[in-house]
Amino acid sequence: MYPWPSPRGCIVQKDIWGFLCAISRHWEPLATGLAALAVSAVVGAWWGDHAPWWVWFGIVSGSILIACFLAWRQTQSEKDDNQKQLEILNTPSVSMALHKIDEDLIDSPQTLFIEVTGTSASRIRPELFAVSVEVKNKGRQSLCLKPGIPPSFGLSRGETENVPAVAYYTSGTLELVLPCKKVTSSEYIHGESFSIKVCAYGGPKEAQLEFDIGVTKGVLWAQKPNSTEKLFSDIRHIASGS
């Protein structure tokens, strides 16, 4: 046995002490109850007829219960406020979602765009990196990974920015446009489809987005994990008839 109290015991003592302090701040019901008792005692002494003991007990109990309720409500309100502040601090300052696969002409690269939306009260400049890239299904399709500098842009609350993430060229090459954090020089991985995880830094907690990418009949597609809905380039999708 240790001579000092356990951490849990210290927390319980702190909670009890905080509750007692909260009760002391709500002294009005206690003062009202004591005043009622004083008046009752004076009237009883004057008229010689004291109130029954259960009346006194009811006044004291009611005063204590009211004070305890007000103290409990105050402590709960403070805990809720602290929890809200903690949630704000732990909330990413941006959100990310798959936006579209776009191209202007048949011969232009098919490019997947990520929509980044600001959620912070202040303007921030997030940094986007691909933090992991894995082969999901084996195949011969090549995906080029590169280091580099993240795209630079600023966002206020509610503002959006469409950031290119993956491009597919007519030569048959897939390229991860966002810099890959774990790559120091350009390298290629091969597969039929790939799983990519992107993080946006710049807030209290990084925002994350995971998606799968691949090429079918010359058409670039992207989808969220465990989803059956895919994004396609409209031009390529219609032209290929897929």
Side-chain angles (χ1 to χ4, degrees), residues 141-159:
Q141 179 66 57
S142 297
L143 174 62
C144 179
L145 312 180
K146 296 180 179 181
I149 300 174
S152 178
F153 58 92
L155 289 175
S156 298
R157 182 187 292 273
E159 290 184 342

Side-chain angles (χ1 to χ4, degrees), residues 170-192:
T170 54
S171 60
T173 303
L174 265 173
E175 180 181 319
L176 184 60
V177 181
L178 291 174
C180 189
K181 262 202 164 186
K182 297 182 179 180
V183 172
T184 56
S185 60
S186 298
E187 63 179 55
Y188 289 84
I189 58 175
H190 304 278
E192 180 182 344

Side-chain angles (χ1 to χ4, degrees), residues 185-205:
S185 60
S186 298
E187 63 179 55
Y188 289 84
I189 58 175
H190 304 278
E192 180 182 344
S193 61
F194 308 90
S195 177
I196 300 174
K197 181 178 180 180
V198 174
C199 282
Y201 302 92
K205 183 180 178 181

Side-chain angles (χ1 to χ4, degrees), residues 94-98 112 114 116 127-133 151 163-166 176-181 195-201 206-211:
V94 298
S95 63
M96 294 188 294
L98 295 178
L112 169 66
I114 292 176
V116 185
E127 294 185 343
L128 271 66
F129 289 94
V131 295
S132 67
V133 183
V163 179
V166 179
L176 184 60
V177 181
L178 291 174
C180 189
K181 262 202 164 186
S195 177
I196 300 174
K197 181 178 180 180
V198 174
C199 282
Y201 302 92
E206 70 274 8
Q208 298 181 355
L209 175 64
E210 295 185 43
F211 58 91

Side-chain angles (χ1 to χ4, degrees), residues 36-52 56:
L37 288 176
V39 171
S40 178
V42 170
V43 171
W46 183 265
W47 294 99
D49 186 15
H50 292 280
W56 292 48

